[in-house]
Structure formats: structure tokens, C-alpha cells
Amino acid sequence: HQGNAMSIRLTFRRLCLALTGTALAASVLAQQPPKETVEARLKPELLALGFTDGQLPELKPAFGNYTDAVQVGSMLYLSSAAPQRPDGQFVKGRVPDQVNVGDAVVAAKLACVRQLARMKLVLGDLDRVKRVVYVRSKIMSQPDFTEQTKITDACSSLYVSAFGEQGRHARTTEGIAAGPFGVTIEVETFVELK
């Protein structure tokens, strides 16, 4: 009987220790803040750009003989996006004689906002993005203008704000003489999906 009683007490102590450890782990997990979503990280950026509700804009469908996005395996390829203000107007003009560098920086962010809205439209949830892989920007600029990278950096910064380190990407920046509909910048984006 004594052996059985001692065995039961040891088993009971082990069970109590296990339950205490489980309760402690649950308490620690409960105290950790919930993981912030991509859209929650984007909200301050969107508010600063003039989107009064801090939400991504709704998009109109592509108006040419193409699609806004194509998924191949775990990659999502987005067609180029032009900068569209919250009022629906596109930012147009050549840098720096028609659009100053500061306004072109904002235009780059607006183009990337449209890309993020496309991602959300296609994926349903921006948290499905594993990483931003590649960005290509084309900036309509005067022939002697050489600060295109400063403008594209605004888009890159927005992706890093949204996705953290997974927002860092390879990139190409080009200065062009003319662009579709006279828009200041177009941005292409390729992302890997979870």
C-alpha cells in the first residue's frame, strides 16, 4: 500500500507541476500583444496620404486588354500602377519642371497604395504576402534629372512599413521621357505568397 500511495503522490505532483507550467505558459501568451496586421501598420501611412478612413481605396477594373495581377505558383505579378490621389485624380507631369521632387515622392507612395489595394483585391488578405520580391519604377523626368531613386525610395519605404523586413526588395528605377496618360510615375511589383 505504501508503494502505491507514494506512486500516486508522485504522479499527482507531476500532474500539478505540468498543470502549473501549462497555466504559466498560457498566462505569458495571453500577456503578449496580438500580432499586428499589415493593414493596421498601413493605416497611419494612408491617413498621412489623405485617405480619411485609413483604408485602402477601392479599385476600378483594368481598362485595357490586360489584367491587374497574375498569380503563377507562389508568385503574384502586378501590372504597373500609376499614382491616384484619394479624390480619384492621377498625379501627372514630368519631374522636376512640372512636378517637384517632394510631390513626386508622394506620387510614388500613391502608386504603391494602388499596388497594395490590388494585392488585397486578389488575395483577400495582405497577410498572405510572404515578401515583396521586386519593384520597378518608371518616372517621367527631364533628361538631366538624376534623382529618380529618391522618388522610388518612398515606395520602398511604404512596403517596409507595411511588411517589415519582408517588404525589402530588389529594385530597378528608370527615368523615362513620356509615360501613359502623362502620369508622373508607374510602379510594378512582384510578391511571393505564403
Side-chain angles (χ1 to χ4, degrees):
H1 269 48
Q2 283 185 7
N4 264 352
M6 185 173 276
S7 175
I8 290 172
R9 273 184 272 180
L10 279 173
T11 302
F12 182 71
R13 283 185 185 154
R14 288 183 187 136
L15 181 61
C16 286
L17 285 172
L19 289 174
T20 301
T22 302
L24 183 61
S27 172
V28 168
L29 287 174
Q31 292 174 8
Q32 292 179 352
K35 184 181 173 197
E36 192 175 36
T37 65
V38 171
E39 288 192 62
R41 289 190 297 273
L42 265 177
K43 188 171 187 167
E45 297 275 355
L46 294 170
L47 289 168
L49 288 169
F51 295 93
T52 56
D53 58 359
Q55 302 295 311
L56 289 167
E58 293 205 18
L59 298 174
K60 295 177 182 167
F63 54 86
N65 193 16
Y66 68 97
T67 182
D68 284 331
V70 172
Q71 183 176 341
V72 177
S74 65
M75 292 294 296
L76 183 66
Y77 300 89
L78 301 170
S79 296
S80 61
Q84 191 172 16
R85 295 183 183 100
D87 67 4
Q89 297 300 309
F90 286 92
V91 180
K92 296 180 178 186
R94 188 177 51 228
V95 181
D97 62 322
Q98 298 170 340
V99 175
N100 68 44
V101 173
D103 290 342
V105 163
V106 172
K109 286 185 177 186
L110 291 170
C112 285
V113 165
R114 287 193 64 217
Q115 293 294 46
L116 289 161
R118 283 176 173 173
M119 288 179 217
K120 183 176 179 187
L121 182 67
V122 171
L123 302 173
D125 183 355
L126 290 174
D127 289 304
R128 287 192 53 210
V129 173
K130 183 174 182 178
R131 82 165 297 133
V132 179
V133 175
Y134 178 75
V135 169
R136 178 181 179 200
S137 72
K138 296 173 276 184
I139 301 163
M140 187 166 61
S141 51
Q142 288 183 287
D144 60 342
F145 181 74
T146 59
E147 295 180 48
Q148 288 89 351
T149 57
K150 179 189 287 186
I151 296 165
T152 306
D153 277 339
C155 174
S156 297
S157 294
L158 183 64
Y159 283 150
V160 172
S161 292
F163 298 107
E165 283 301 308
Q166 287 71 35
R168 292 192 188 282
H169 50 269
R171 181 177 91 188
T172 302
T173 301
E174 300 174 27
I176 60 173
F181 308 106
V183 295
T184 301
I185 182 173
E186 283 196 309
V187 175
E188 298 170 26
T189 304
F190 304 160
V191 297
E192 182 183 15
L193 307 177
K194 294 178 182 171

